[in-house]
Amino acid sequence: MANSNLPRRIIKETQRLLSEPAPGISASPSEENMRYFNVMILGPSQSPYEGGVFKLELFLPEEYPMAPPKVRFLTKIYHPNIDKLGRICLDILKDKWSPALQIRTVLLSIQALLSAPNPDDPLADNVAKHWKANEAEAVETAKEWTRVYASGA
Amino acid sequence: MKYYYSDGEESYNSYDDDDSENYSSSVEDDAMDEDESCQSDGDDVGGDVVSDNDDDMPQAAERNDKGYIFETEADVRKRQDEVTASVSELLSVPWGLAAVFLRHCRWDAERLENEWFADERRVREAVGLTAEQGDAATSVNDRPLTCAICFDVHSAGEMISAGCAHYYCRECWGGYIHAAVGDGARCLVLRCPDPSCGAPVTRELVREVFAAGEDDDDDRARYEAFVVRSYVEEGTSKYVRWCPGPGCTLAVRAEPGSAPYEVACCKCRHVFCFRCGEEAHRPASCGTAREWVTKNSSDGENDNWVVANTKHCPSCRVAIEKNQGCNHMTCAAPCLHQFCWICLGAWSEHGGNYYHCNRYVAHAPENAREEERREHAKASLERYIHFYERWAAHGSSMKKAREDLERLEGGALAGFAEANGVSQAELGCLEEALALIMESRRVLRWTYPFVYYMDPVRDGKKIELCEHIQGEAEDSLEKLHKCVESEWDELKVTAAAPGAEFDAATAAVFAAAFKEYMLKLFVLNTATRNHLKMLVEGFESGLPEFEGTL
Ligand SMILES: [Zn+2]
Ligand SMILES: [Zn+2]
Ligand SMILES: [Zn+2]
Ligand SMILES: [Zn+2]
Ligand SMILES: [Zn+2]
Ligand SMILES: [Zn+2]
């Protein structure tokens, strides 16, 4: 069984994610693999993603928590720090990772990234260019994508 | 085993070229004599060459004739620990923190003292320490706590912090440091795992964490290796660097103010530039050497290598593999055509007193304007290949000579001496010749990049002179190399086989041939040494009388 050797930390984190979910975020482990989480994040209000429901996958590698979780958007999203494969440019998922952080902190950070896109540290180059050249228009595109791809289908 | 260009106080002019790097030299003379004072790896030589305080330098006598000394990793570590201990005492901080502060100041104790006494707080903040934390490098929990990494509760004394208020269990610390060590030098700037806390993870903490388990030996050793590397590689002191010889673990320390132009490692024999770490590249400057090496790798190393190593006999077209150091090639029977490996010209044209295969002749288009000619000559791949081939060929001949020398020293010479009733001292000339060949090859090798980066139009006259000196030196060197390789083999034919009877007639024939050979070798050695001296002086003086003239 893939789940038999689950460290206590992962079990505790999972219990807490289920019993006290963070507002606008849900994360539940897959039944076959307790290291694989299905995640949903609601687009924050006052953001171009408001009204959208974004699906993500989160995986805890063998080295977790010494290595960061791997997270990826499954829902298409128009955002300067998220590329078309759903990969996310976020420092705590890379060099700023610390084992004192948790799944919850990671998901809250991703939610915050939706509220505050940062085109100066882009992952999706053309989106970031668009954002810097004409923010209003880029925001419109992001809203449009939210309607088309993230309206809870 | 001396083979320097001159025996006295002679030192080379400091070299002044495009990037105006100046070398103080004067370190050549006893470079190879290091063998006597240098001990094998692991021996503690600290005692006799390193005195107690850190800014000490070699003793005066040593300073004058060498300018640099060798240290094992243990020596370096010892000096590092000494400076750490003295700073720890002076600033009244734990040694773990002293090391963190020192690294921040690039291991320059004096700079740290100045910064510390000018503004202690700034130094602390720069490494992530807050006023509240105080001066602890580690502390342990005084009551049961939950570890924020494994979420388990641990009783008092079982958890440890980087001196701050964030306690984790030893196992989690172990994993944390293990992950950082696995990433490389990052482990030296590791902070407390709490994202809001900047407390540095010190060597003291690492030692405590790994004190218990033997499994952790690897991590601890790797961490300590990064610590000592930081001292050498990040240290201000431009005066310490590792020997770049493959697999070599010695460090070389120069006296301040002198960056020796060339250092010959006493252990692995690699000869390198102390300034840039590249193979010794005199007379080319560090800048030229760097540019050249970069160019070679960016232009497709493999193609160059193929060009430089695949040739056909110009007479019968059979593929020729060069397995000797000498560039005088003789095709296999029945062809026996003699030619030059470099330019494939007939060897008969190379003899005499002018070796003219080093000269690049640009085939510029007829009646091109001067500007175009200049561009053409500079940019042409053909020109580059010309220089690259010669640079590479000297390199492989140098390697060959080195292997030959190692074989001779490894017993071949002693065996020969014994079988033929000659003293090994008499054969010293042969070792001297090989060492001289190695050095000449190396210097000549780097004259090619030197000339390559000259402007073929503006510096035309100068290039002509350079190539003349270069040609003379190569001519003499090729004769010497041939004498050491094939003529030595011929001599060996007349010699006694090991263990065989040596009758009187054979002995007499051998004695005469031996005497003649040794005389020839002596003459060629002298000539080559003189040419090498002229070559270095000519190139390093920058040939000022030809500056910009045409
Ligand atoms: Zn723990
Ligand atoms: Zn802390
Ligand atoms: Zn070495
Ligand atoms: Zn150099
Ligand atoms: Zn042939
Ligand atoms: Zn030639």
Side-chain angles (χ1 to χ4, degrees), chain B residues 179-314:
Chain B
V181 167
D183 285 354
R186 176 172 84 84
C187 62
L188 297 178
V189 293
L190 201 58
R191 303 279 172 103
C192 165
D194 189 287
S196 66
C197 177
V201 173
T202 63
R203 274 175 84 191
E204 253 175 292
L205 177 59
V206 172
R207 275 195 196 177
E208 285 215 16
V209 167
F210 290 147
E214 279 173 28
D215 305 354
D216 306 322
D217 275 3
D218 268 6
D219 283 327
R220 186 181 156 163
R222 290 195 61 195
Y223 180 86
E224 291 291 339
F226 281 116
V227 170
V228 75
R229 277 183 56 187
S230 156
Y231 184 66
V232 172
E233 292 164 33
E234 298 187 294
T236 9
S237 113
K238 303 183 287 282
Y239 305 119
V240 189
R241 68 152 66 235
W242 301 112
C243 169
C248 189
T249 54
L250 286 191
V252 184
R253 185 152 63 100
E255 69 175 275
S258 99
Y261 201 8
E262 278 185 3
V263 170
C265 177
C266 69
K267 190 174 167 214
C268 73
R269 286 222 165 134
H270 184 62
V271 184
F272 61 97
C273 171
F274 188 83
R275 294 218 152 192
C276 69
E278 185 54 63
E279 165 191 293
H281 50 68
R282 195 174 51 182
S285 70
C286 294
T288 301
R290 194 164 44 240
E291 201 173 329
W292 178 253
V293 169
T294 313
K295 181 175 177 59
N296 294 344
S297 48
S298 64
D299 281 15
E301 219 170 342
N302 292 333
D303 293 350
N304 296 338
W305 188 87
V306 168
V307 170
N309 289 281
T310 311
K311 300 224 171 158
H312 298 268
C313 167

Side-chain angles (χ1 to χ4, degrees), chain A residues 8-9 12 66 98-99 101-102, chain B residues 148-149 151-152 172 175-176 193 195:
Chain A
R8 190 205 310 242
R9 156 153 177 167
K12 288 203 171 171
M66 295 308 164
S98 157
L101 296 169
Q102 300 180 18
Chain B
I149 295 179
F151 292 11
D152 285 337
C172 287
Y176 185 59

